[in-house]
Amino acid sequence: MEKFTTLTGIAAPMPLVNIDTDMIIPKQFLKTIQRSGLGKNLFDEMRYTPDGQEIPDFVLNQPAYRKAQIIVAGDNFGCGSSREHAPWALLDFGIRCVISTSFADIFYNNCFKNGILPVVLPPEAVAHLMDDAKKGENARITVDLEDQTVTASDGKTFAFEIDAFKKHCLLNGLDDIGLTLEKASAIDAYEARTATLRPWA
Amino acid sequence: MAPRTLYDKIWDDHVVHQAEDGTCLLYIDRHLVHEVTSPQAFEGLRMTGRKVRAPEKTIAVPDHNVPTTLDRANAATMTEDSRIQVAALDKNAKDFGINYYPVSDVRQGIVHIVGPEQGWTLPGMTVVCGDSHTATHGAFGALAHGIGTSEVEHVLATQTLIQRKGKNMKVEITGSLRPGVTAKDITLSVIGATGTAGGTGYVIEYCGQAIRELSMEGRMTVCNMAIEGGARAGLIAPDEKTFAYCMGRPHAPKGAKWEAALAYWKTLYTDEGAHFDKVVTIRGEDIAPVVTWGTSPEDVLPITDVVPAPESFSGGKVDAAKRSLDYMGLQPGQKLTDIAIDTVFIGSCTNGRIEDLRAAAAILKGKKIKVKRAMVVPGSGLVRAQAEEEGLAQIFIDAGFEWRLAGCSMCLAMNPDQLSPGERCAATSNRNFEGRQGRGGRTHLMSPAMAAAAAITGHLTDVRELMGEMV
């Protein structure tokens, strides 16, 4: 997994609330058996007409946002299904950070497995960053994971909270499975204990 | 020991290791697998030379892509990419030695229906699956939730998950439901009251007389949609109904193990005085048959109501409601019962069990559909067989429904069962998102009885008006 330390980039404003994982990557693209290549279908039904033409109004089709690395989104981003194809599609497009007032749990968790930083900020802060994002490509937003801050193009800085373990893994690009396997003896001991306590399980 | 909630108890019994910062390694008793969210996880194991740690606790079944038409044994009914995904699961199940129900097996069906049906899901267990509707299994007093593909790989390799404990939320439904009101109306009404993010960060325990009075099928319907309220998991304390459902299932314990299990299961309840971080109480008598009008599961109203005006909401929901009404082709003030329906879909992990089919058939008996098309997709091959034995299948067929084979089908339309642009569907599934059932398709969520009522009138209908004729 790629590390996330700091990022300065263009932020795309998506003020819609409840952007669900069916919007982020519709089901017809879940038939892949790979993780890569989904970026071209990110937000597919909002981004293209049924015959595949770009919809010019859609934010990521606008010249200023075609190279966006950050999304500033409405409440409850990523609700719906557990499909990790949603963060895979975001990452493949080039998005490394999503900022919102709230995220759905499973999506939030999935981001960390893929080097994407989801940032939760209060409504006033998200509103400020949304306005900043609407200024287009000249308004670069900076996200610093080590310091846990987001800085708008006007220099205004907002601090965010993040779980210490998740932060550590993301800063260092660590593989969860490797870390867990270091505790294999604890898993062995648990299994031995429950084999007697709950032999049916 | 301080009083604990049901969630606290199951959590405590599954902690393998706890770090100083509170991050836990949680043991997973049952890992359910389907073809859409698992290929990359198995590939990850191959690339790192890792094995499945507990293949005997891992259960796979293809459900999302599989065609539900009677000719599905013919490979040509599947698109090439769907066929590849199902073939990958066939191969992964064989290579890694996990339990498997292939498409040709009568026990095949939707993973969340097969798990309980085969006795894999039992009280007090931790159950995960790369699928958000894993919450379904909470009906047994199991801690069950969806995970992403990276976590699927993590569970395959280690039989554990890295987790932080969620908060406790209690949803109490007091009193009894009125006639015509079902488990689906409970779960939709709760989401309508709390919103799709109301449960974010929480595990919900559903309790109260109306929940106790539900069958196991109804309880599964309630827990299934916990995720639509933002909660990863929903739970219901096990009781005699739970034990009776589990007894004799193929993978349920037998003999002395059954007795030991039963003794343990009877300790699985929330202690008097245990702390909940959030409590929601709804009177069972106040719940009406409901439908959704918009493109979020929180867009719920009693069938007697009218389409709301976007201005009646606040914040970002005003624009979201405008967008929803535009997408759904509805006008504020329009009576919900005036909305004409093209298609009826009965099935899914929310409402594809035998009781759901019985409820729909009771409304349809001796009637004909007035919609363009209607289909019933049983949740498993065994549900289908039982419905045929009970004569329900014939009622559906006589009414004009297509009687399909088991799968996820039009709930998420990954197989050929899809809506066309503008096609309006009365669905017993769980999500009314834009494009969910097919690009441009318009979904109204409701109970099986309400969907059956819409099928025979051709518009959204208050099922209670039809029930008068039945009693």
Side-chain angles (χ1 to χ4, degrees), chain B residues 100-386:
Chain B
Y100 190 48
Y101 302 99
V103 177
S104 57
D105 193 311
V106 70
R107 297 167 297 178
Q108 178 271 343
I110 305 171
V111 66
H112 307 308
I113 293 191
V114 173
E117 204 168 65
Q118 293 300 318
W120 291 111
T121 307
L122 296 169
M125 284 183 161
T126 46
V127 181
V128 296
C129 176
D131 192 289
S132 59
H133 292 110
T134 310
T136 311
H137 308 266
F140 291 80
L143 177 59
H145 62 80
I147 55 178
T149 299
S150 295
E151 289 181 318
V152 169
E153 186 178 339
H154 191 279
V155 177
L156 289 171
T158 70
Q159 206 58 28
T160 64
L161 265 185
I162 299 170
Q163 292 272 286
R164 283 187 82 97
K165 195 164 174 228
K167 289 180 283 187
N168 279 289
M169 175 169 171
K170 175 161 90 169
V171 173
E172 185 174 11
I173 314 294
T174 62
S176 293
L177 299 179
R178 294 189 184 280
V181 181
T182 68
K184 186 65 165 287
D185 301 300
I186 293 180
T187 204
L188 282 171
S189 297
V190 171
I191 298 160
T194 61
T196 50
T200 302
Y202 294 92
V203 165
I204 296 177
E205 180 176 347
Y206 298 95
C207 61
Q209 186 184 330
I211 298 291
R212 295 261 74 89
E213 288 175 359
L214 292 175
S215 64
M216 287 313 296
E217 285 86 351
R219 293 178 191 184
M220 285 188 252
T221 300
V222 170
C223 290
N224 172 276
M225 291 189 72
I227 185 67
E228 263 58 65
R232 266 189 167 205
L235 282 170
I236 295 174
D239 61 11
E240 293 302 326
K241 281 184 192 171
T242 321
F243 310 144
Y245 181 99
C246 294
M247 198 167 141
R249 302 262 161 197
H251 295 279
K254 313 268 183 311
K257 276 189 191 172
W258 170 263
E259 293 305 325
L262 201 58
Y264 174 70
W265 295 345
K266 287 181 177 173
T267 68
L268 298 172
Y269 54 84
T270 291
D271 295 330
E272 191 71 34
H275 175 73
F276 283 95
D277 304 283
K278 187 170 180 179
V279 177
V280 173
T281 306
I282 296 177
R283 278 163 42 97
E285 291 85 354
D286 291 348
I287 300 175
V290 292
V291 296
T292 61
W293 52 267
T295 55
S296 166
E298 70 191 10
D299 299 339
V300 174
L301 280 173
I303 182 65
T304 48
D305 221 315
V306 298
V307 175
E311 297 71 28
S312 65
F313 298 97
S314 60
K317 189 70 186 171
V318 177
D319 283 342
K322 276 183 196 156
R323 184 184 168 97
S324 283
L325 292 189
D326 182 50
Y327 180 86
M328 294 296 288
L330 297 174
Q331 299 299 323
Q334 196 176 354
K335 283 174 73 175
L336 292 172
T337 48
D338 284 347
I339 297 172
I341 294 296
D342 302 308
T343 299
V344 171
F345 168 64
I346 296 176
S348 85
C349 58
T350 315
N351 283 124
R353 285 168 286 269
I354 190 69
E355 184 182 274
D356 301 313
L357 305 194
R358 286 181 193 139
I363 302 296
L364 292 167
K365 194 168 186 180
K367 306 270 176 41
K368 295 280 182 203
I369 61 167
K370 279 194 192 151
V371 288
K372 290 175 192 141
R373 61 170 172 155
M375 64 168 87
V376 184
V377 184
S380 72
L382 294 180
V383 169
R384 181 180 152 93
Q386 189 178 348

Side-chain angles (χ1 to χ4, degrees), chain A residues 27 48 84 109 180 190-191, chain B residues 13 27 150-151 154 435 439:
Chain A
K27 69 262 174 187
Y48 306 106
E84 200 162 315
N109 219 32
T180 297
Y190 178 91
E191 284 181 338
Chain B
D13 279 351
Y27 195 79
S150 295
E151 289 181 318
H154 191 279
R439 185 168 185 152

